[in-house]
Amino acid sequence: MQIVTDTGMDMYLPPELMPEIPIRIVPHTITLDGKSYRSGVDVQPDELQKMLMATSGFPITSTPSAGDFAEMYRKLAVADRKILSIQMSSGLSGTYNAARLGAEMTSEANVTVVDTKTLCAALGWQVAAAGRALKAGWSLEKVVTLIHRIGDATESIYTLDELKYLIHGGRISHMKGLLASLLKIRPLIGVEKVGGTYSQLGMARTFEKALHGLVDNMLKHHKAGSALRVQVLHSYNQPGVEALRDLISPIFKCTWMPIHYMSPALAAHTGPSMVGVAFAAADIFEGLP
């Protein structure tokens, strides 16, 4: 069985946790100043943020089409018609529906499409675990259960120092976002698990306090001293992500995943200031292949 996903995913893991089967990625498209780029193909995370800082324009992102997914499924079906397509949250993107329609268009493939109700590092953890489990011979049903188990156990939260990209992209209410921007309020944003949409978890008057707010939110899910898998990510804010890691490190027993940029398709909506963290109880991953 082969795995397909999309560029709502970030999968930066230690080599020993990377799957030994290829992961096929159908990219989102980012359009900026009249030119279009495939996320992770034509433009890399740092390149996009440098472009954003050099222009007064705003990016527009487009989901892959059903035809894009059908094309991928047809190519893969030549080697193996069984395909597991693991997509970012349907509550945040039309990608899941495009993948589902693409599967319906591809009679030569047997495609199972999963809506993870999440994105970014949390999605990467699910995709990597699924790849390793398939390599180990797990059944499709058991792998899908594993994907949902990791998703249910994992939280993703982030903050940022400027809101103009979120406001322009419609990712937060324009009026509330504009007011927050005028007041220099930094939101704490998570991904709720029922609809897989963004939810506001709090706010802070400074970026430093917002970073402390992220840690406070972690403590609402896990008590101090808990053993966690943790990954901090950023759009183009290395000082911010290092400061967040320094705040988290003394409080929890962390198994750290590599610090890395988030996907250009996601970072286009945040601009360069975003810092975030994905975390889950470490024992969720015990016994996995």
Side-chain angles (χ1 to χ4, degrees):
M1 182 172 290
Q2 303 178 84
I3 292 182
V4 173
T5 188
D6 59 80
T7 49
M9 174 197 73
D10 293 305
M11 188 168 66
Y12 301 103
L13 296 170
E16 65 272 17
L17 296 180
M18 291 296 290
E20 296 179 6
I21 64 174
I23 306 298
R24 315 294 184 177
I25 301 174
V26 181
H28 294 74
T29 300
I30 304 161
T31 301
L32 181 64
D33 294 336
K35 187 174 181 179
S36 294
Y37 308 86
R38 291 169 296 168
S39 179
V41 180
D42 303 317
V43 64
Q44 299 305 314
D46 57 334
E47 295 172 336
L48 175 64
Q49 297 305 322
K50 290 174 183 177
M51 291 163 58
L52 291 180
M53 290 185 287
T55 181
S56 59
F58 288 92
I60 299 171
T61 59
S62 303
T63 63
S65 68
D68 293 332
F69 279 102
E71 181 181 3
M72 175 66 77
Y73 299 151
R74 292 189 186 107
K75 288 180 180 178
L76 296 180
V78 174
D80 186 344
R81 65 187 307 269
K82 294 181 180 179
I83 298 168
L84 177 59
S85 199
I86 308 171
Q87 313 308 150
M88 70 175 289
S89 175
S90 62
L92 296 172
S93 168
T95 308
Y96 166 75
N97 284 330
R100 182 177 53 80
L101 291 172
E104 293 175 1
M105 294 164 57
T106 316
S107 59
E108 56 266 54
N110 181 5
V111 186
T112 299
V113 185
V114 177
D115 180 1
T116 63
K117 301 295 180 71
T118 192
L119 74 171
C120 206
L123 174 55
W125 295 359
Q126 291 166 300
V127 170
R132 292 173 61 83
L134 287 175
K135 178 70 174 179
W138 288 28
S139 68
L140 172 63
E141 292 77 13
K142 191 175 178 181
V143 171
V144 172
T145 298
L146 171 65
I147 291 169
H148 290 308
R149 178 159 62 93
I150 294 174
D152 289 343
T154 304
E155 301 293 333
S156 299
I157 54 178
Y158 72 87
T159 190
L160 62 169
D161 203 28
E162 61 177 349
L163 300 182
K164 65 180 183 180
Y165 296 98
L166 283 182
I167 295 169
H168 183 270
R171 289 314 191 263
I172 57 177
S173 163
H174 181 78
M175 291 303 294
K176 289 182 180 179
L178 181 59
L179 179 62
S181 183
L182 290 172
L183 296 176
K184 301 299 288 184
I185 290 173
R186 284 75 176 177
L188 310 177
I189 301 172
V191 182
E192 55 85 18
K193 296 186 181 299
V194 177
T197 60
Y198 289 135
S199 61
Q200 185 167 319
L201 303 177
M203 59 184 66
R205 297 302 293 268
T206 68
F207 187 67
E208 181 181 1
K209 289 181 179 179
L211 295 181
H212 283 274
L214 296 183
V215 180
D216 291 340
N217 270 276
M218 294 178 69
L219 285 165
K220 293 179 181 178
H221 295 277
H222 302 280
K223 65 181 181 180
S226 297
L228 304 180
R229 173 188 281 194
V230 183
Q231 189 158 24
V232 290
L233 299 101
H234 65 113
S235 52
Y236 199 64
N237 190 348
Q238 189 69 30
V241 82
E242 290 174 357
L244 179 58
R245 177 168 172 150
D246 288 344
L247 291 174
I248 295 170
S249 186
I251 298 176
F252 301 103
K253 297 177 182 176
C254 298
T255 299
W256 291 103
M257 300 297 104
I259 293 175
H260 213 283
Y261 296 115
M262 66 191 298
S263 163
L266 302 179
H269 297 295
T270 69
S273 67
M274 197 285 304
V275 170
V277 57
F279 58 96
D283 60 10
I284 293 296
F285 304 94
E286 292 178 359
L288 298 184

